[in-house]
Amino acid sequence: MNVLQQARYGIDSYMDWLKAEGLRVVGGLAIDCTQVETADWPRVGTRAAALHLDGRGDFCNMFLYELAPGQSTIPQRHLFEQVLYVVEGGGNTQIELPGGERWSFEWAPASLFAIPLNAKYRHFNGSGRERAVLVSTTNLPMMLNLFHNERFVFDNDFDFDDRIGKREYFAGEGVLNLVRQGNDTWETNFIPDLERIKLQDFSDRGAGGGCLIFLLADSSMHAHVSEMPAGTYKKAHRHGAGYHVMCVGGSGFSLMWYERDQDFVRIDWKNGVVFPPADQQFHQHFTTSAKPARYLATGFGSLRYPFTSARRAEILGEKVAFATSTRDGGDQIEYQDQDPRIHPMWLAELAKHGLKSEMDRFFPR
Ligand SMILES: [Fe+2]
């Protein structure tokens, strides 16, 4: 132990907690959630892993839960927020309200839901034959580093009854708020199928794309789903860290780079692959499937509770910064301004898949 450690400097309470839990940690630039090797996690009573992706930033992590056929988790409650996505399998989750009443809802692949802060909950795998895989994006790193007290976070009986939401929010219903492109929201706690939910126009990001942002359990966790039509790609953009991008339908690839980089980092994705672009790293998404590609992004800082002033400025600004050209002070690269290597690279990739580009309508020549 060096003098700085003896003085108790530089403590990471989240990492200390993780080590004490003995939970398996998987890292990397991108992770295929269908292939993660899990280990027993006694706290939860199932196999699990913590996913630490390179670009996750300081506030968020992911937990992956693997429920064996017929298995359920030990009931949990905790002072961190989380949004869960169903990678594989089917089952249900039971939420216990402060008065003891229980609400439950059934999920399947591509369902998304949030657990209200400090609500008691339990997941059940409804199949006697197949495993279920759930992946949650949480703000536990922030909460443990803030309170650095495990008991306060995991053994706290405060009821946030203002966070539970309406019962129909757990039945797939919600409230649609149409504000402007890139800011349209669906307030709910549970989305049965992200592949089927109707999206709103977000053509400002290019190529006839759609998007819908979720306000979940009145929390600070962000989630949105975007779609790119077959034969298209989006414009590049950048923002803060911690937005975990996960493919929910179709396939494709993404390029990531920093402003002065000579080359791109490429990530190929299909169902279940997750990666978070790092802080202010440009990223651009491309489809290579014959059907539209959809992806989910989860992170910290919701439209309602942005948490940081940078995120609040993005949301309340006159223009949506990550949908405004870098020429106008925004964080989006218009098609005509993009690196000239990108479009031919895209056409070559499409040719490999025997697909036709639909970009002529959008790409100025
Ligand atoms: Fe992004």
Side-chain angles (χ1 to χ4, degrees), residues 105-117:
F105 51 95
E106 288 194 17
W107 37 258
S111 294
L112 182 83
F113 58 95
I115 304 294
L117 186 63

Side-chain angles (χ1 to χ4, degrees), residues 272-304:
V273 171
V274 61
F275 64 96
D279 189 31
Q280 300 308 319
Q281 189 177 31
F282 279 111
H283 46 285
Q284 189 163 12
H285 308 306
F286 304 78
T287 47
T288 55
S289 50
K291 66 171 192 172
R294 277 195 178 197
Y295 61 84
L296 163 71
T298 53
F300 181 63
S302 63
L303 249 68
R304 181 167 293 159

Side-chain angles (χ1 to χ4, degrees), residues 212-283:
L212 189 60
I213 295 175
F214 304 115
L215 294 177
L216 298 163
D218 203 33
S219 78
S220 303
M221 297 306 292
H222 169 89
H224 76 259
V225 69
S226 281
E227 181 175 287
M228 294 180 284
T232 70
Y233 62 85
K234 290 202 161 201
K235 297 173 186 175
H237 70 284
R238 64 180 173 184
H239 44 64
Y243 293 93
H244 291 72
V245 177
M246 173 174 271
C247 176
V248 299
S251 59
F253 66 95
S254 295
L255 299 178
M256 306 198 294
W257 68 94
Y258 289 105
E259 196 156 14
R260 288 181 181 77
D261 283 353
Q262 297 298 310
D263 282 308
F264 314 109
V265 172
R266 174 174 160 159
I267 293 169
D268 291 280
W269 40 259
K270 60 179 175 57
N271 263 359
V273 171
V274 61
F275 64 96
D279 189 31
Q280 300 308 319
Q281 189 177 31
F282 279 111
H283 46 285

Side-chain angles (χ1 to χ4, degrees), residues 3 43 64 79 137 148 180 201 214 241 249 271 279 282 301 346:
V3 65
R43 174 185 295 277
L64 182 140
L79 220 59
T137 313
H148 40 89
R180 59 177 176 176
D201 176 40
F214 304 115
N271 263 359
D279 189 31
F282 279 111
W346 151 250

Side-chain angles (χ1 to χ4, degrees), residues 48-59:
L51 310 186
H52 285 179
L53 285 141
D54 293 353
R56 73 188 170 96
D58 292 317
F59 299 142

